Amino acid sequence: MCGRYAATRDPATLAAEFDAIDGTDALGGSAPGPDYNVAPTKPVLAVVERHPRDPDGEPDPTRTERSVRVMRWGLVPAWAKDPAVGSRMINARAETAAEKPAYRTSLARRRCLLPTDGWYEWKKEDGRRQPYYVTPPDGSSLVLAGVWTTWRPPDLADDAPPLITCAVITTDAVGQLADVHERMPLMLPRELWSAWLDPARTEVEELLRPTDDAFVAALELRPVSSAVNNVRNNGPQLVARVDPGADPAPALDQPRRRGRRPAPETPELALFDHP
């Protein structure tokens, strides 16, 4: 976890919901459209709060500005030689993020909110991976805690926009979610949004505790079609409830032909919670 999610709200809707401005045009960004199958390395919408800068580029510590931005899912540390490393860094463990060189600066100084409609988990049932969709039953946003950073290749011009990437913070699963997967994203209720985004706050240990049991208990855990396993599939049909027994989910541990990559519809769960 977390390796796939759904995000269908547009920047204007998110800006109103989070009392932010639409900054998706900043740094050459282009807002992604509704996506029911967000996968690693895709562009996503995130909410950040920063000190605005004056014409000379100096931040004003007396003011903050909240905005909706475009980022790529899969954090690429500033010191990375190749941005491809981001495909393996989509999640950061709450227990160790403050110690890991790839995440610790972002956790202290560059935190974001990742608004979603819900996310997908796969549960082993009768030798198969059955996908489930985790979502608020009332259709409200499910907000995940994230961290972000910027990356520049050595030959990038000084005035060219950097690559902005992010990762989801994960914790031990609790309640009904523990029956599906041992990990879950850190979900933030509205009352914690400001504290998580506060650019002046560098100590966030108390905010990294697993999401409250009551919050998790209120979520809907919905079996959905195995069509979500293929990143090329998209659309609202992916989040529709199905009868697990009638859905032809791909069998586990099928033999692979030597020298061939796994079929694209098989979810590679090993990548979804990088330590």
Side-chain angles (χ1 to χ4, degrees):
M1 196 292 114
C2 165
R4 300 278 181 81
Y5 67 84
T8 64
R9 290 168 171 80
D10 59 56
T13 299
L14 293 177
E17 180 177 2
F18 290 88
D19 192 22
I21 64 171
D22 180 358
T24 53
D25 289 334
L27 299 178
S30 179
D35 195 338
Y36 292 87
N37 203 354
V38 178
T41 74
K42 278 190 171 184
V44 298
L45 295 176
V47 179
V48 301
E49 189 168 314
R50 310 296 290 166
H51 295 297
R53 295 179 179 272
D54 63 24
D56 295 326
E58 293 298 320
D60 181 354
T62 66
R63 297 190 299 125
T64 60
E65 181 179 81
R66 188 177 293 185
S67 61
V68 179
R69 297 297 183 97
V70 179
M71 301 183 181
R72 194 178 82 171
W73 188 19
L75 191 136
V76 180
W79 40 261
K81 296 182 179 179
D82 189 335
V85 69
S87 65
R88 303 191 303 273
M89 303 182 71
I90 62 173
N91 294 329
R93 289 176 176 260
E95 301 88 342
T96 59
E99 306 164 4
K100 298 288 184 178
Y103 304 117
R104 61 190 178 199
T105 299
S106 293
L107 183 64
R109 301 185 182 280
R110 299 188 186 97
R111 298 180 299 275
C112 62
L113 303 176
L114 295 168
T116 75
D117 298 3
W119 87 90
Y120 301 96
E121 285 290 3
W122 283 260
K123 182 179 181 181
K124 295 180 180 180
E125 295 179 347
D126 300 324
R128 298 175 181 272
R129 287 191 179 105
Q130 171 60 48
Y132 283 83
Y133 182 56
V134 186
T135 186
D138 62 0
S140 60
S141 291
L142 186 63
V143 179
L144 311 184
V147 292
W148 64 278
T149 193
T150 60
W151 180 83
R152 287 178 174 273
D155 56 351
L156 187 68
D158 290 342
D159 58 349
L163 175 66
I164 304 178
T165 61
C166 61
V168 175
I169 300 293
T170 68
T171 68
D172 285 332
V174 300
Q176 61 174 334
L177 298 182
D179 294 332
V180 179
H181 197 279
E182 70 272 12
R183 303 291 293 179
M184 69 179 188
L186 176 61
M187 295 164 278
L188 296 175
R190 182 179 293 272
E191 60 268 22
L192 294 181
W193 293 354
S194 292
W196 183 257
L197 291 177
D198 184 357
R201 182 169 186 161
T202 58
E203 297 294 333
V204 293
E205 183 177 357
E206 66 181 76
L207 299 177
L208 293 173
R209 298 169 185 158
T211 310
D212 181 80
D213 288 7
F215 186 97
V216 171
L219 298 174
E220 178 184 359
L221 190 59
R222 179 192 307 168
V224 294
S225 170
S226 58
V228 71
N229 296 355
N230 191 322
V231 297
R232 293 188 294 270
N233 294 330
N234 218 311
Q237 71 278 7
L238 296 184
V239 301
R241 178 179 291 274
V242 302
D243 177 359
D247 183 53
L252 291 174
D253 303 322
Q254 291 182 346
R256 298 174 181 171
R257 294 183 183 180
R258 182 174 297 178
R260 296 188 64 181
R261 299 181 67 182
E265 64 270 16
T266 303
E268 296 295 338
L269 299 184
L271 297 180
F272 292 174
D273 202 4
H274 195 272

